[in-house]
Amino acid sequence: MTKSNLIVWDEARFEVGIEDIDNQHRKLVGYVNNLSLAVNSHLEESHLSALFMELYNYIKLHFKTEEIYFCTLNSDDCLLHELQHKHFIEELDRIIALNEFKKNAREVLFSLTDWLVHHIQVEDKKFITQNQHQSLI
Ligand SMILES: [Fe+2]
């Protein structure tokens, strides 16, 4: 099994141009890669669960940061963005409640990575591009 990172940080692909948010996204990618390496190394279940919870807690902290910043730019669009975050956290809560990560770590890891990468590259970037542009008009 590969020991390479699941997500390769690429400024052009990931950076949204807001330093604090970019730093948190970079850190988030680090948590995903740590978890991926641990899954591929078949570490014991308690270790994998601890890394999964670390990622989960960091995602929640990061979403709060984004929501505070985004709501200063556009309160209407912010509500939709908050809803996207809320639904993802609810999905992670469901995964935790049903022990799904313990049952199928790779599938859960790939699924949450797919959501996060899409969210950063499309939703976060779109929000900032549109709303920073509007605030200049
Ligand atoms: Fe977001």
Side-chain angles (χ1 to χ4, degrees), residues 4-29:
S4 60
N5 286 332
L6 184 58
I7 309 175
V8 177
W9 181 266
D10 175 345
E11 290 177 11
R13 285 174 66 213
F14 290 106
E15 289 203 347
V16 299
I18 308 298
E19 193 179 357
D20 287 347
I21 292 176
D22 285 332
N23 286 340
Q24 287 194 352
H25 282 159
R26 192 187 290 263
K27 211 166 162 181
L28 203 54
V29 165

Side-chain angles (χ1 to χ4, degrees), residues 25 62-63 66 70 81 84-85 115 119-120 123-124:
H25 282 159
H62 167 64
F63 283 176
E66 266 193 7
F70 285 7
H81 204 88
Q84 293 172 348
H85 289 171
W115 190 96
H119 186 78
I120 294 170
E123 301 300 336
D124 290 343

